[in-house]
Amino acid sequence: MDNIAIVAITKHGVELIRKLSTSMPKADMYYMKKFEHGDEPEKNIHLFDGSIRLLLPDMFQRYDGIIMVISLGAVVRMIAPILIDKKTDPAIVVIDDKGEFVISVLSGHIGGANDLTREVASYINATPVITTASDVQKTIPVDIFGREFGWVIEDFSNVTPVSAAVVNEEPLLIMQESGEKAWWKHERPLPKQMKVVQSYEEAAGIDFNAALVITHKILSKEQEQKLLANGVLYRPKSVYLGIGCNRGTSAVEIINVINETLNEQHISIQSVKSIATIDLKKDEKGLIEVCDEFGWEFLYYTPEQLNAVPIKNPSETVYKFTGAYGVSEPAALLAAGVDELFLEKKKSGNVTISIAVKK
């Protein structure tokens, strides 16, 4: 987290954050003008008069994290009127005036305050204070599960009750059909109340109170009712689209083909990670616009790279125009790093699409 403000309102607090700033040079420092050292302009330090309370509404909008050397009670009173929710509020971390403790106060998981607390504590040799149950118990943090891999939660409605089930050690089903497997970060084994399966069929005979579902697939109504009544659905970035298109094909046409094809294959568009094609298309406006709109990676490969990948139906016609025996199929395989396509190839209008899924 780089977009951080560090605030102090006491003499000792100012000395503490000036020391901290050497370890966090990208952070913006704020302290009261009466503690001015004279080097503030050259160090781009912000000085203020009056109460920091007046600056906080603007800081909440501008920063992802705010570190304050102010008493915890005062911080709670100051931020209470401007809180919105944990998905938008910045991370708030408090340090005591002697620099002995660093406390995660607000937006511990989603906002990153717990990680920021550990980071700051390591810089000033202080004790980190984190009270989030999943961190303390070293279990799965439901609200940020898989975030380091780019997983996204489809619906936050059940995050709180499922989190309660996890920390209360109730029977938990984890159904993972795709996505990174290295999500258990702790040295101890996976707790016995957590059962991991790789398919809905495998989950059929298991009793559970809550579920974590990691899949690129669109669930059926039956699956939703069984798994998501008290479950959270995660979309891993495991789907790679290989695309070939005629020159000048519009972004609208490409998106329509993608949506239609994904729906036919019962795949969530939220699990798409990238579009891959031949390097002849690296400046194709429609492809670039689609990737920009959805925040996908745009990958392209030389004909030689594409021809090195075995495909079932090489095309002499495609080779004549591109130098490659196929575009969408080998591009999807290369991007996903797999040997088999989920969808070999579909031609629709000016667009050819293939799908690879990284399990």
Side-chain angles (χ1 to χ4, degrees):
M1 185 187 301
D2 292 328
N3 188 24
I4 295 172
I6 310 177
V7 181
I9 60 172
T10 66
K11 177 183 176 181
H12 294 297
V14 169
E15 297 306 317
L16 180 58
I17 70 170
R18 284 175 64 92
K19 174 184 174 183
L20 178 59
S21 69
T22 62
S23 299
M24 305 181 73
K26 293 182 179 180
D28 291 339
M29 279 201 297
Y30 292 78
Y31 53 76
M32 299 186 74
K33 190 173 183 179
K34 66 180 179 180
F35 300 118
E36 185 174 0
H37 282 59
D39 59 355
E40 285 78 10
E42 66 186 73
K43 293 188 175 182
N44 199 29
I45 296 171
H46 305 271
L47 300 174
F48 64 90
D49 288 313
S51 175
I52 186 62
R53 182 195 299 270
L54 302 176
L55 301 180
L56 283 176
D58 178 61
M59 294 173 76
F60 259 55
Q61 298 296 318
R62 294 174 52 204
Y63 294 102
D64 296 324
I66 305 173
I67 302 166
M68 292 188 269
V69 188
I70 303 173
S71 74
L72 178 58
V75 169
V76 170
R77 286 190 293 273
M78 285 191 290
I79 66 175
I82 54 177
L83 299 183
I84 299 174
D85 62 57
K86 65 180 181 179
K87 294 191 287 293
T88 56
D89 292 330
I92 301 295
V93 172
V94 165
I95 308 175
D96 69 285
D97 207 53
K98 292 183 68 176
E100 294 180 341
F101 299 97
V102 183
I103 308 166
S104 176
V105 178
L106 184 71
S107 298
H109 274 161
I110 295 178
N114 291 355
D115 290 338
L116 183 58
T117 292
R118 296 186 187 97
E119 179 185 353
V120 172
S122 70
Y123 292 148
I124 63 174
N125 196 28
T127 300
V129 180
I130 296 170
T131 59
T132 309
S134 59
D135 285 72
V136 173
Q137 295 184 11
K138 298 188 184 302
T139 189
I140 294 174
V142 173
D143 52 354
I144 59 167
F145 187 40
R147 185 170 69 173
E148 70 269 34
F149 306 124
W151 299 2
V152 294
I153 294 177
E154 188 159 282
D155 183 349
F156 277 80
S157 301
N158 287 338
V159 165
T160 298
V162 172
S163 296
V166 171
V167 300
N168 289 326
E169 300 180 342
E170 297 175 17
L172 178 72
L173 175 72
I174 304 169
M175 189 185 89
Q176 182 170 15
E177 295 183 306
S178 59
E180 293 80 358
K181 301 296 194 299
W183 44 259
W184 184 250
K185 304 299 183 183
H186 310 296
E187 294 180 2
R188 68 187 182 109
L190 194 71
K192 61 183 180 180
Q193 75 272 11
M194 297 182 183
K195 303 296 183 185
V196 180
V197 300
Q198 297 180 4
S199 68
Y200 180 69
E201 292 71 26
E202 193 179 346
I206 298 176
D207 292 326
F208 56 91
N209 290 8
L212 306 179
V213 181
I214 308 114
T215 184
H216 59 286
K217 297 179 182 178
I218 297 173
L219 302 180
S220 68
K221 291 297 182 183
E222 175 190 337
Q223 291 170 337
E224 285 185 355
Q225 290 170 2
K226 182 171 176 62
L227 298 172
L228 301 183
N230 191 36
V232 178
L233 177 58
Y234 301 86
R235 295 302 189 188
K237 298 297 183 181
S238 55
V239 176
Y240 298 77
L241 306 179
I243 292 185
C245 64
N246 293 329
R247 180 64 70 181
T249 304
S250 70
V252 171
E253 181 177 354
I254 296 169
I255 291 171
N256 286 340
V257 173
I258 290 172
N259 281 325
E260 178 185 86
T261 306
L262 291 177
N263 287 332
E264 290 171 352
Q265 301 299 319
H266 306 290
I267 291 175
S268 170
I269 197 169
Q270 291 191 69
S271 281
V272 174
K273 183 175 179 65
S274 67
I275 283 178
T277 189
I278 191 168
D279 63 357
L280 294 172
K281 297 291 181 181
K282 65 184 179 182
D283 61 347
E284 189 68 47
K285 184 179 178 183
L287 291 175
I288 294 170
E289 288 178 358
V290 172
C291 289
D292 288 345
E293 178 172 340
F294 289 95
W296 296 338
E297 294 176 340
F298 184 37
L299 307 174
Y300 41 84
Y301 302 99
T302 65
E304 292 75 20
Q305 289 174 305
L306 297 175
N307 289 336
V309 179
I311 57 176
K312 291 182 179 179
N313 296 294
S315 169
E316 291 292 342
T317 302
V318 174
Y319 180 79
K320 178 181 177 181
F321 289 101
T322 68
Y325 288 102
V327 174
S328 65
E329 312 104 292
L333 291 169
L334 281 170
V338 298
D339 299 322
E340 187 175 347
L341 289 166
F342 185 92
L343 173 68
E344 182 181 347
K345 183 166 62 174
K346 173 188 171 181
K347 181 78 165 66
S348 179
N350 292 301
V351 180
T352 302
I353 183 170
S354 300
I355 300 175
V357 177
K358 193 170 186 177
K359 294 293 186 69

